Amino acid sequence: MLSTTPRTTLRRAKDRGRTSREDLYAVLDAGLVCHLGVVTGGSPMVVPTGYGRIGDTLYLHGSTGATSLRDADEVCVTVTHVDGVVLARSSFHHSLNYRSAMVFGRARRVEDAEERLAGLRAITEQLAPGQWDATREPTGKELAATMVLALSLAEASVKVRQGPPVDDEEDYGRPIWAGVLPLHQVWGTPEPDPALTWDLAVPEHIASRTMPAAGK
Amino acid sequence: MLSTTPRTTLRRAKDRGRTSREDLYAVLDAGLVCHLGVVTGGSPMVVPTGYGRIGDTLYLHGSTGATSLRDADEVCVTVTHVDGVVLARSSFHHSLNYRSAMVFGRARRVEDAEERLAGLRAITEQLAPGQWDATREPTGKELAATMVLALSLAEASVKVRQGPPVDDEEDYGRPIWAGVLPLHQVWGTPEPDPALTWDLAVPEHIASRTMPAAGK
């Protein structure tokens, strides 16, 4: 079960709330970027960034010189998938079909070498499954320049909207088309780096990727 | 030209910065959702939500009962498009190709009836071009329940990364495939609301939509 703290309890559209940890994992595991919210100088800042998950911990990384992460104390991480546009009979009831997850917590800077490496591996694998083992591992210098942050999934909420529009009763009789225009994400054809000096086939784990980071 | 305030001046990856207002408009106009960052009780909260643009003003809306908008003072609005995964020869240089815009400012609650309606129209049209005129306009009751916020685009930054990976010089000789796996968003086949009682063709402005809110 997910948390029921004040900020993870839905006040509106309660029927869109999901409460199982599996729902949370599914939304997080299907994403490529999260939107990381931090407070700097009293103002909010929202930064798109990569992430990875191991069990009930989310990992983020950044340059040790990045201000958005250096100040990270309380953070909010949001992952959103847009699945379609909901076209209602009234402008008021237009909406999106989506899946989104919000995670609240205090980010912990990871110091342990083993956990740092595991976190970075999770972040790379979230972006491109199979690439950690297929490419050169980080050097000591690269590791020193990278900050790894861990965020517990203890306080999180999930919202999902799917299905046709919900119009006002008196609007169903109007001769206005209504429905859903689905939106899909699809991988294109892999584009080899022009600087490739070897005659290499596209690796199977890249060529066969069929959905954007769907599952792990 | 875009602003050069401390929070819109890039400290890292400066070559990814774009400085023209047209770049900002292009990123904003191509999106369906933004991630709205606010500070509530000292903590950040990041909420996915629709938006619209008229000139140099961004419009957001929400229920008058929504806590995330009621407290909105200083906000940060971020719009991100992921265009592909950048597959490098080292895990360290993996990245994403993306276009993103960040807008900072103090949200202004719109009270003027005409501007409220124009803002709501822009939000609907961003989600589904052509739908404002094709569907029922808001009633007075719906308008009363909706809060419209305006955010100036005066303070904004744009970051864009495109193209192949950039590896360390000594890694180019490795026999590792490198390149870009492009990611595209495509519209699916419109799904009529099962509750449609009229035999209506899918309107042209919906059926012919070819890219997710690309341009206006």
Side-chain angles (χ1 to χ4, degrees):
Chain A
M1 288 288 290
L2 297 179
S3 59
T4 54
T5 64
R7 58 188 178 181
T8 56
T9 301
L10 302 185
R11 274 167 289 259
R12 297 175 308 119
K14 293 186 174 64
D15 54 312
R16 297 184 186 174
R18 298 290 172 94
T19 54
S20 86
R21 302 206 71 78
E22 280 62 41
D23 291 322
L24 175 65
Y25 299 156
V27 172
L28 295 176
D29 294 355
L32 289 170
V33 294
C34 66
H35 281 80
L36 167 69
V38 295
V39 180
T40 54
S43 297
M45 181 156 76
V46 179
V47 184
T49 187
Y51 65 95
R53 181 179 74 84
I54 301 177
D56 282 313
T57 303
L58 208 66
Y59 288 96
L60 305 164
H61 72 331
S63 159
T64 50
T67 44
S68 59
L69 283 169
R70 185 188 294 159
D71 299 328
D73 197 5
E74 281 280 339
V75 302
C76 174
V77 168
T78 301
V79 173
T80 306
H81 308 283
V82 177
D83 295 320
V85 178
V86 180
L87 304 156
R89 293 155 184 86
S90 65
S91 62
F92 187 75
H93 285 296
H94 275 63
S95 187
L96 285 171
N97 280 338
Y98 65 93
R99 293 159 285 147
S100 77
M102 291 171 66
V103 183
F104 298 92
R106 209 168 276 274
R108 166 177 63 88
R109 186 164 174 164
V110 181
E111 305 289 356
D112 177 73
E114 201 173 316
E115 187 183 3
R116 280 167 58 80
L117 207 60
L120 291 173
R121 182 189 175 111
I123 294 167
T124 300
E125 289 289 299
Q126 177 82 23
L127 201 62
Q131 280 294 91
W132 184 267
D133 288 335
T135 58
R136 175 177 67 68
E137 284 202 15
T139 62
K141 194 179 163 192
E142 287 171 345
L143 286 171
T146 307
M147 177 163 49
V148 179
L149 291 170
L151 177 64
S152 161
L153 297 182
E155 192 176 356
S157 65
V158 175
K159 274 178 84 174
V160 176
R161 194 218 183 276
Q162 303 293 339
V166 177
D167 269 303
D168 289 342
E169 203 52 47
E170 57 268 32
D171 286 330
Y172 279 91
R174 295 179 186 266
I176 298 173
W177 190 91
V180 171
L181 183 60
L183 185 65
H184 303 292
Q185 287 199 298
V186 293
W187 295 113
T189 305
E191 300 167 351
D193 184 351
L196 264 183
T197 50
W198 298 76
D199 183 22
L200 300 168
V202 180
E204 188 56 26
H205 67 275
I206 297 168
S208 68
R209 194 171 180 180
T210 51
M211 288 168 56
K216 286 201 171 184
Chain B
M1 288 288 288
L2 297 179
S3 58
T4 55
T5 62
R7 58 188 178 181
T8 57
T9 301
L10 303 186
R11 274 166 289 260
R12 298 175 307 121
K14 292 186 175 64
D15 54 313
R16 296 183 186 175
R18 299 291 172 94
T19 55
S20 85
R21 300 207 72 78
E22 280 63 40
D23 290 322
L24 175 64
Y25 299 157
V27 171
L28 295 176
D29 293 356
L32 290 170
V33 294
C34 66
H35 280 81
L36 167 68
V38 295
V39 181
T40 54
S43 297
M45 181 157 76
V46 179
V47 184
T49 186
Y51 65 95
R53 180 179 75 84
I54 301 177
D56 282 313
T57 304
L58 208 66
Y59 288 94
L60 305 164
H61 73 332
S63 160
T64 50
T67 44
S68 59
L69 283 169
R70 185 189 293 161
D71 299 328
D73 197 4
E74 281 280 340
V75 303
C76 174
V77 168
T78 300
V79 173
T80 306
H81 307 284
V82 177
D83 296 319
V85 179
V86 179
L87 304 156
R89 294 156 183 85
S90 64
S91 62
F92 186 76
H93 284 296
H94 274 64
S95 187
L96 284 171
N97 279 339
Y98 65 93
R99 293 159 287 146
S100 77
M102 292 171 66
V103 183
F104 298 91
R106 210 169 275 272
R108 165 177 64 87
R109 187 165 173 161
V110 180
E111 304 289 356
D112 178 73
E114 201 173 314
E115 187 183 4
R116 280 167 57 80
L117 207 60
L120 290 173
R121 182 189 175 110
I123 294 167
T124 300
E125 288 289 299
Q126 177 83 24
L127 201 62
Q131 280 292 92
W132 184 268
D133 288 335
T135 58
R136 175 177 66 69
E137 284 203 16
T139 62
K141 194 179 161 192
E142 287 171 345
L143 286 171
T146 306
M147 176 163 50
V148 179
L149 292 170
L151 177 64
S152 162
L153 296 182
E155 191 176 356
S157 65
V158 176
K159 274 176 85 174
V160 175
R161 195 221 183 274
Q162 302 293 340
V166 177
D167 269 302
D168 289 341
E169 203 52 48
E170 57 268 33
D171 286 330
Y172 279 91
R174 293 178 187 265
I176 298 173
W177 190 90
V180 172
L181 183 60
L183 185 65
H184 304 293
Q185 287 199 297
V186 294
W187 296 112
T189 305
E191 299 167 351
D193 184 351
L196 264 183
T197 50
W198 298 76
D199 183 24
L200 300 168
V202 180
E204 186 57 26
H205 67 274
I206 297 168
S208 68
R209 194 170 181 182
T210 51
M211 288 168 57
K216 287 200 173 185

